[in-house]
Amino acid sequence: MAEVDVNKVVRQHAEMEGFFTGFVLRGKSVALDDSAPAAAVASANASSSVPTGAPNPPSAIRDPQSSATDAAAELEAIAGETRQCRKCQLGSTRTKCVPGEGHPRARIMFVGEAPGADEDAQGRPFVGRAGQLLDKIIAACGLRREEVFIGNILKCRPPENREPRPDEIINCLPYLQRQIEIIQPDVIVALGGHAAKTLLNTVKPIGQLRGQFQEYYGGIGRPPIKLMATFHPAYLLRNYSEQNRRYVWEDMKKVLTELGLPVPDRNKGG
Ligand code: SF4
């Protein structure tokens, strides 16, 4: 088993705390109550300080005051299908399927490559160390995990975290495509080269794809969806340079700007 460099892990953790939590929002604080459901929070934010008749402030959730029950039910139906799925060999090696989770009307959808060991054990996406970093990136954006949707290209973990195989992607991708169709995000954030290349149907490396909006095509007759590719949090943890973190933050700032959401300033004291 590979030896863990404890000092490196601790140093990364401290840097992560510093870089992805030291932000303040311009103007009004958007601090949210942890106990409130995301939809309720969005609804409350939309209505609490806005005079009647005034346009709603930008939200991470599309149409936050309307019911998302139908979309939630459709997403749950897909999740149920994936949990029964045996279309590829990963169906027999997984512990738990990881369909994805989040708000049915999220305007931002994060898509990674495949579940890892922690995700496989819990049946939830991005819950290991990379997931903790993603949570910090989301928080640094002034958002909550419950306000976005998080999923993967593959719903089941490849053994030993090996790369997804073409037949696995071909079999599994329709589930994600249907989730995108239901959620209709304004922006997809592809985490890492595999997710970006699969969604964009390209062989270009992540270094060429990130930093500018690309377009995801969901099929004939469907409008393209803006896609921002950025580094996978797991890559960031392995290559924890100031420059890589800046690249990710620059990518996320473009996403927030595109959505008309407040862009936090770096807190000089943080
Ligand atoms: S990875 Fe996808 S296609 Fe393969 S068994 Fe799991 S849900 Fe089915």
Side-chain angles (χ1 to χ4, degrees), residues 82 85-88 90-91 94 97 154-156 168 171-172 175:
T82 63
C85 182
R86 296 286 189 277
K87 285 184 187 165
C88 79
L90 301 182
R94 71 186 174 213
C97 183
L154 293 189
K155 309 302 186 191
C156 305
E168 294 162 356
N171 279 303
C172 208
Y175 292 124

Short mmCIF file of all heavy atoms in Angstrom, two decimals, residues 82 85-88 90-91 94 97 154-156 168 171-172 175, ligand 1:
data_model
loop_
_atom_site.label_atom_id
_atom_site.label_comp_id
_atom_site.label_asym_id
_atom_site.label_seq_id
_atom_site.Cartn_x
_atom_site.Cartn_y
_atom_site.Cartn_z
N THR A 82 -31.11 3.01 -12.14
CA THR A 82 -29.66 2.77 -12.06
C THR A 82 -29.34 1.77 -10.95
O THR A 82 -28.41 0.97 -11.07
CB THR A 82 -28.86 4.07 -11.82
OG1 THR A 82 -29.22 4.64 -10.57
CG2 THR A 82 -29.10 5.08 -12.93
N CYS A 85 -29.70 -1.51 -12.34
CA CYS A 85 -29.05 -1.69 -13.64
C CYS A 85 -27.91 -2.71 -13.59
O CYS A 85 -27.11 -2.73 -12.65
CB CYS A 85 -28.51 -0.33 -14.11
SG CYS A 85 -27.73 -0.41 -15.73
N ARG A 86 -27.86 -3.52 -14.63
CA ARG A 86 -26.77 -4.48 -14.81
C ARG A 86 -26.29 -4.43 -16.28
O ARG A 86 -25.86 -5.43 -16.82
CB ARG A 86 -27.24 -5.91 -14.50
CG ARG A 86 -27.65 -6.15 -13.06
CD ARG A 86 -26.43 -6.21 -12.12
NE ARG A 86 -26.80 -6.64 -10.77
CZ ARG A 86 -27.28 -5.81 -9.84
NH1 ARG A 86 -27.44 -4.53 -10.12
NH2 ARG A 86 -27.59 -6.24 -8.63
N LYS A 87 -26.41 -3.25 -16.87
CA LYS A 87 -26.09 -3.15 -18.30
C LYS A 87 -24.61 -3.33 -18.58
O LYS A 87 -24.22 -3.62 -19.72
CB LYS A 87 -26.54 -1.79 -18.86
CG LYS A 87 -28.04 -1.68 -19.06
CD LYS A 87 -28.37 -0.35 -19.70
CE LYS A 87 -29.86 -0.13 -19.75
NZ LYS A 87 -30.20 1.26 -20.04
N CYS A 88 -23.77 -3.05 -17.60
CA CYS A 88 -22.34 -3.31 -17.78
C CYS A 88 -21.82 -4.06 -16.57
O CYS A 88 -22.52 -4.22 -15.56
CB CYS A 88 -21.56 -2.02 -18.04
SG CYS A 88 -21.21 -1.03 -16.57
N LEU A 90 -19.93 -3.32 -14.24
CA LEU A 90 -19.81 -2.61 -12.97
C LEU A 90 -21.03 -2.84 -12.07
O LEU A 90 -20.94 -2.66 -10.85
CB LEU A 90 -19.62 -1.10 -13.21
CG LEU A 90 -18.40 -0.72 -14.05
CD1 LEU A 90 -18.29 0.79 -14.19
CD2 LEU A 90 -17.12 -1.30 -13.47
N GLY A 91 -22.12 -3.25 -12.67
CA GLY A 91 -23.32 -3.55 -11.90
C GLY A 91 -23.12 -4.71 -10.95
O GLY A 91 -23.83 -4.82 -9.94
N ARG A 94 -20.08 -3.23 -8.00
CA ARG A 94 -20.33 -2.08 -7.12
C ARG A 94 -20.85 -2.56 -5.76
O ARG A 94 -21.42 -3.66 -5.65
CB ARG A 94 -21.38 -1.16 -7.75
CG ARG A 94 -22.76 -1.78 -7.73
CD ARG A 94 -23.81 -0.98 -8.46
NE ARG A 94 -25.06 -1.70 -8.52
CZ ARG A 94 -25.91 -1.62 -9.53
NH1 ARG A 94 -25.66 -0.85 -10.57
NH2 ARG A 94 -27.04 -2.30 -9.50
N CYS A 97 -24.85 1.79 -5.99
CA CYS A 97 -24.91 2.65 -7.17
C CYS A 97 -24.95 4.11 -6.69
O CYS A 97 -25.44 4.41 -5.61
CB CYS A 97 -26.18 2.31 -7.94
SG CYS A 97 -26.36 3.23 -9.45
N LEU A 154 -20.32 7.83 -15.01
CA LEU A 154 -20.68 6.46 -14.62
C LEU A 154 -21.36 6.48 -13.26
O LEU A 154 -20.94 7.22 -12.38
CB LEU A 154 -19.43 5.57 -14.52
CG LEU A 154 -18.67 5.24 -15.79
CD1 LEU A 154 -17.61 4.18 -15.48
CD2 LEU A 154 -19.58 4.77 -16.91
N LYS A 155 -22.36 5.64 -13.11
CA LYS A 155 -23.09 5.58 -11.84
C LYS A 155 -22.52 4.53 -10.89
O LYS A 155 -22.94 4.47 -9.73
CB LYS A 155 -24.58 5.27 -12.09
CG LYS A 155 -25.25 6.18 -13.11
CD LYS A 155 -25.17 7.63 -12.73
CE LYS A 155 -25.96 8.51 -13.68
NZ LYS A 155 -25.67 9.94 -13.46
N CYS A 156 -21.62 3.70 -11.36
CA CYS A 156 -21.04 2.66 -10.51
C CYS A 156 -19.51 2.77 -10.55
O CYS A 156 -18.94 3.19 -11.56
CB CYS A 156 -21.46 1.27 -10.96
SG CYS A 156 -23.24 1.06 -11.07
N GLU A 168 -18.70 0.83 -20.95
CA GLU A 168 -19.36 1.29 -19.73
C GLU A 168 -19.95 2.69 -19.94
O GLU A 168 -21.07 2.97 -19.51
CB GLU A 168 -18.35 1.30 -18.57
CG GLU A 168 -17.86 -0.10 -18.21
CD GLU A 168 -16.56 -0.11 -17.40
OE1 GLU A 168 -15.97 0.98 -17.18
OE2 GLU A 168 -16.14 -1.21 -16.99
N ASN A 171 -23.05 2.50 -22.17
CA ASN A 171 -24.23 1.98 -21.48
C ASN A 171 -24.78 2.95 -20.44
O ASN A 171 -25.98 3.00 -20.20
CB ASN A 171 -23.89 0.66 -20.79
CG ASN A 171 -23.93 -0.51 -21.77
OD1 ASN A 171 -24.96 -0.74 -22.41
ND2 ASN A 171 -22.83 -1.22 -21.90
N CYS A 172 -23.90 3.69 -19.81
CA CYS A 172 -24.32 4.51 -18.67
C CYS A 172 -24.70 5.95 -19.03
O CYS A 172 -25.53 6.55 -18.36
CB CYS A 172 -23.21 4.54 -17.62
SG CYS A 172 -23.84 4.77 -15.95
N TYR A 175 -28.29 7.63 -18.86
CA TYR A 175 -28.88 8.03 -17.58
C TYR A 175 -28.57 9.50 -17.29
O TYR A 175 -29.43 10.27 -16.89
CB TYR A 175 -28.34 7.16 -16.43
CG TYR A 175 -28.77 5.72 -16.48
CD1 TYR A 175 -27.83 4.70 -16.49
CD2 TYR A 175 -30.12 5.38 -16.50
CE1 TYR A 175 -28.22 3.37 -16.52
CE2 TYR A 175 -30.52 4.06 -16.53
CZ TYR A 175 -29.56 3.05 -16.54
OH TYR A 175 -29.95 1.74 -16.57
S1 SF4 B 1 -22.19 1.81 -14.52
FE1 SF4 B 1 -24.13 2.50 -15.40
S2 SF4 B 1 -24.55 1.08 -17.07
FE2 SF4 B 1 -23.02 0.08 -15.73
S3 SF4 B 1 -24.26 -1.11 -14.28
FE3 SF4 B 1 -23.87 0.88 -13.33
S4 SF4 B 1 -25.70 2.10 -13.84
FE4 SF4 B 1 -25.65 0.33 -15.26
#
